[in-house]
Structure formats: C-alpha cells, structure tokens
Amino acid sequence: MKKERAQFKSSIGFVLAAVGSAVGMGNIWLFPYRVGQYGGGAFLIPYFIFVALFSYAGLSAEFAFGRLTGTGTAGSFDYVLKAKGKKGGRIIGALPLLGVLGIAIGYSVVLGWVLRYCAGAFTGSVLTSNSQGYFDSLAVSFGSIPWHIIVIVATVLILIKGVSSGIEKISKIMMPTFFVLFIIIAIRVFFLDGSDKGYAYLLKPDWSYLLVPETWVMAMGQAFFSLSINGAGMLIYGSYMKRDENIIHHAGMTAVLDTLAALLAGFAIIPAVFAFGIDPTSGPSLMFVTLPQVFHQMPAGQIFAILFFVSVFFAGITSLINMFEACSEALSSQLKLGRTLSICIIGAITFAVSVFLEALPDMGAWLDAVTIYIAPFGAVLCAVFIYFILGMKNIKAELNIGRSRPLGRQFDVIAYFYVILAAAVVVLGIYYGGIG
C-alpha cells in the first residue's frame, strides 16, 4: 500500500496543510460568538482543555492511522478488518467519506460567495451596495454559479499538481498569508474608537458560566469541529507524512495554530463590530451582511475588506482541498482510477449536487445535517477502529516513532476518555441541534 506513496516534503509543509484543513469559516464567525455568549474569557478554559485533549488523542490518532496504513479512510478500515480475518472495511470506511463529501458540497457554495465578495471588495461594490441586498442576490437559486465553478476548478487544479507540488506548496503560501492579513486587520481594529467594548465582550470572564453544563458542551463541540476531526481529512494527510515525523508534536502544532487563528478572528472582528454599534450575535450573516457595514464605515474600509475576504477565501479553499483529497484518494486507491480522473469526478459530483443545493430555501440545513450527524459519526467510527479494533498497542507503536520518550500508560486513559467524549459530541449535537 505504501509503495511510491506521495509525501509532504517538509514538516512545516505538513503542519500548514493540516492547519489549512482545520482553519475554516467556522473559526471566523462561530468561535468569537461562542466566546462572548458563554462567559467570555471563562469559555476559553474548557475550550483550551478540550483542544489539548482532542489533538493529543484524536487528531494524532488519525494522523498515525493514515501513516500506518499508507492509505485513506476506506483502505485503512479495510486494512484493520483484514488483519482480523474480516471483510467489509471498504464499505464501512465509505461512511466518514460521505460526511466529508457532504460538507464539501455545501462548503463549495459558501466559498463561491466568499470569492464573489473578494471581487466586490476590489471593485468597491460590496461596500457601496446595500449589504443585505448584495448577499440576497447571491444566496438565491443559481445566483453564484460562475464563482462556484471557479472555486471547484481551482481546487481540482491544485490537487492535480499532487501532494508536494499542489497541497503543500499552496498551503505554504495561503496559511502564512492568512495569519499576516488577520494580524494587520486586528492591529487596525485595535485603534478604532469603541473597540474596547469588543475586547471586554471577548475576554472579560464571567466565571458563573463554568457552572453551566452547556458552556462545557459548546466548548467541547467547538474544539472538536475546529480541529477537523472527521475520520477522513486528517487521516489522508497522515498517510502522506514521512515515517520519522513526530506525530504528537505535529498534532500539537496544528492545534496551537488553529486556536491562534480562531483568536485572531475574534480580535479582528468582534471589536470592530462593537466599535460601530452592530450586533455581534448575527452568526453566519456576520461575514456577509454585518462586516460589509463595518468596512463601509471604517476609514480605508475597502483595503481592509479586501484583506479580510481574501484571507477568508484562503482559509476556506485550503479546507476544501483537504475534503476533495480525502474523497478522490478513495476513488483512486479503491477503484484503481488515475489521480487526475478521481479528482475530476469528485469535482463534478460536488458541482452537480451543490448547484441544485443553491436552490434550497435554507442551505444551512444541509450543512447542519452533515456536520451535526454524519461527520461526527465518522470521527467516532474512526476512533473505535483505531483504539479498539486496531488496538492501543499498534497505534501507540506508530505514535512513538520519532519520539525521544515513548508514550506512557496515561495515554491509554486519555485515549479511551477521548472516545467517550467523541461519542458525547454526537449525542449532544443531536440534543442541542448543533454544538460545532
């Protein structure tokens, strides 16, 4: 399985690709809202705890599972069951991939909107038009097909270039640019009159929220989905990792950079919203309706609108690249199709389904369905395969490669606890109607 397997050429290339997969639009509008809604700085305590736990035992396990088997989700599940004399691994492994493909279908539509806003920021039309009307012209039946096509074609072309020349190279450009652009925006926002109220909203701790179970539930869900643990995307990147890499270290670096991205988004967006007296709890519309109003009122607003939407596009397309790669690799390895053909098939399926998805009155319902139910189930399924079917001994042996000290018994306890929490994310996601 591992013969002539493509690989990331460098450790930083791997980490930036993984961060690109993890950092998405949810970091940009959902995380700041959740922080302010559930106790400000107090929310960060459970959030940091869960990020550390999930990256240590969940993210690292998916990386290791992929590197051990040298293939994607379907092949990895098949590898484990065949070792036990069982069949059906490929079929079971298709379940997490369906969740990832479902997210990619909806994500491509939203990313098409972001690209249109990038163009509108450069021309200035996104600032001079009525923000709600501008968005409504896109979020209607077949309202953004040209932009949607550009997103899918760009993703396909990047992937056709391969792992090191495509995914790694573009991640090395886009992710550092994302951080630089958001730092520039955050610094500018700091000097806006009234921005201090936004920082208070984000950081002033209300410790009473730590006694509210829902705070911990929301922090757990936010951490889980922010790290992009879904049983497929991070696993496929792990299969491209060099054999001597320290997986635990790379998982930790991915978690740190993903968390920094979320914090940067909060410091760039929420203080600006407060500075102009706009409601910060507007959710997804924050990005497409609320922020254009902010940029319109801000000195040199057009420049910062360009920086913002370009950085959001970079965050979005690196996530979409990972989703496409996970799905196309399954076609290539399991159906013995060429890489280019497999990628084009996934691109065509994504466009064919998503173009009609745009006609739905509430496209958010589609994304809710796949992110609340299908994707988390895939992550739990993958965790069960790793820790209970493959076995703790085998996965720890893979995780110990590249480490100066082997993992101790405490890892076993944390790993099993992680599986319980991952299952809880699924159950509580259904109960609360979405905790990611």
Side-chain angles (χ1 to χ4, degrees):
M1 267 191 257
K2 298 177 186 176
K3 213 171 210 182
E4 297 181 0
R5 183 74 172 173
Q7 288 187 331
F8 289 104
K9 289 184 176 179
S10 64
S11 297
I12 188 64
F14 172 82
V15 170
L16 288 175
V19 172
S21 173
V23 174
M25 286 174 275
N27 295 66
I28 294 168
W29 64 261
L30 185 58
F31 175 77
Y33 166 57
R34 284 274 160 80
V35 172
Q37 188 182 29
Y38 292 99
F43 177 87
L44 296 177
I45 294 176
Y47 179 73
F48 290 156
I49 291 173
F50 288 126
V51 164
L53 171 63
F54 292 171
S55 64
Y56 184 58
L59 185 59
S60 64
E62 292 197 6
F63 285 158
F65 195 25
R67 189 173 72 177
L68 173 66
T69 60
T71 186
T73 304
S76 294
F77 282 28
D78 194 47
Y79 173 98
V80 173
L81 289 189
K82 279 184 176 179
K84 304 290 183 181
K86 306 290 184 181
K87 296 181 179 180
R90 296 181 183 182
I91 297 174
I92 299 172
L95 296 177
L97 292 169
L98 288 175
V100 171
L101 181 59
I103 296 173
I105 288 169
Y107 213 81
S108 67
V109 175
V110 178
L111 200 51
W113 297 347
V114 174
L115 185 59
R116 175 66 184 89
Y117 270 71
C118 288
F122 276 101
T123 63
S125 60
V126 73
L127 302 180
T128 56
S129 304
N130 176 275
S131 58
Q132 186 65 58
Y134 192 89
F135 176 68
D136 289 344
S137 68
L138 289 178
V140 295
S141 300
F142 315 116
S144 62
I145 287 180
W147 307 101
H148 188 186
I149 291 174
I150 292 172
V151 166
I152 291 177
V153 170
T155 305
V156 166
L157 291 176
I158 291 168
L159 288 175
I160 287 175
K161 295 287 288 182
V163 175
S164 60
S165 298
I167 299 171
E168 182 173 1
K169 185 172 289 186
I170 204 71
S171 298
K172 283 183 174 180
I173 296 170
M174 288 188 171
M175 292 320 299
T177 303
F178 168 87
F179 281 99
V180 170
L181 293 181
F182 256 100
I183 288 171
I184 293 171
I185 296 170
I187 292 172
R188 175 65 187 89
V189 166
F190 176 80
F191 293 100
L192 292 175
D193 291 337
S195 63
D196 56 311
K197 297 176 183 177
Y199 295 115
Y201 176 85
L202 281 172
L203 297 177
K204 186 178 180 181
D206 185 339
W207 302 114
S208 65
Y209 274 90
L210 293 181
L211 302 177
V212 179
E214 189 174 348
T215 301
W216 292 79
V217 171
M218 292 300 172
M220 180 169 62
Q222 182 69 32
F224 189 85
F225 294 114
S226 181
L227 291 173
S228 194
I229 303 173
N230 52 40
M234 292 307 194
L235 190 153
I236 191 60
Y237 278 3
S239 74
Y240 302 137
M241 186 189 293
K242 291 182 179 180
R243 291 294 302 163
D244 60 348
E245 301 279 8
N246 185 334
I247 290 177
I248 296 290
H249 174 266
H250 288 357
M253 287 299 300
T254 301
V256 167
L257 291 174
D258 177 68
T259 302
L260 285 176
L263 291 171
L264 261 180
F267 291 138
I269 294 170
I270 298 301
V273 169
F274 269 89
F276 294 103
I278 298 174
D279 180 17
T281 63
S282 50
S285 64
L286 176 71
M287 194 156 57
F288 296 111
V289 178
T290 305
L291 286 178
Q293 299 175 32
V294 171
F295 293 131
H296 179 65
Q297 300 176 65
M298 184 187 297
Q302 183 176 357
I303 294 174
F304 289 99
I306 293 170
L307 297 180
F308 175 78
F309 286 111
V310 168
S311 61
V312 172
F313 179 74
F314 284 0
I317 200 166
T318 48
S319 296
L320 190 63
I321 286 169
N322 176 258
M323 299 174 206
F324 272 35
E325 178 66 17
C327 297
S328 63
E329 189 277 343
L331 289 182
S332 178
S333 64
Q334 303 307 312
L335 300 182
K336 308 305 179 185
L337 301 178
R339 176 179 174 83
T340 298
L341 177 59
S342 300
I343 294 167
C344 290
I345 289 173
I346 294 300
I349 292 172
T350 301
F351 179 74
V353 177
S354 58
V355 73
F356 290 102
L357 191 64
E358 291 189 68
L360 293 178
D362 180 16
M363 198 199 69
W366 171 280
L367 285 173
D368 284 345
V370 292
T371 55
I372 294 169
Y373 308 116
I374 302 176
F377 174 76
V380 175
L381 187 63
C382 189
V384 170
F385 262 76
I386 291 171
Y387 287 118
F388 292 95
I389 302 179
L390 175 66
M392 185 66 71
K393 178 181 178 181
N394 291 321
I395 200 65
K396 282 179 70 176
E398 187 68 26
L399 287 168
N400 281 329
I401 294 173
R403 290 178 55 83
S404 57
R405 292 177 56 189
L407 294 170
R409 292 293 301 272
Q410 75 278 2
F411 180 85
D412 302 30
V413 176
I414 294 172
Y416 291 133
F417 183 52
Y418 159 74
V419 178
I420 294 172
L421 287 180
V425 169
V426 177
V427 176
L428 293 170
I430 296 171
Y431 179 77
Y432 283 100
I435 61 176

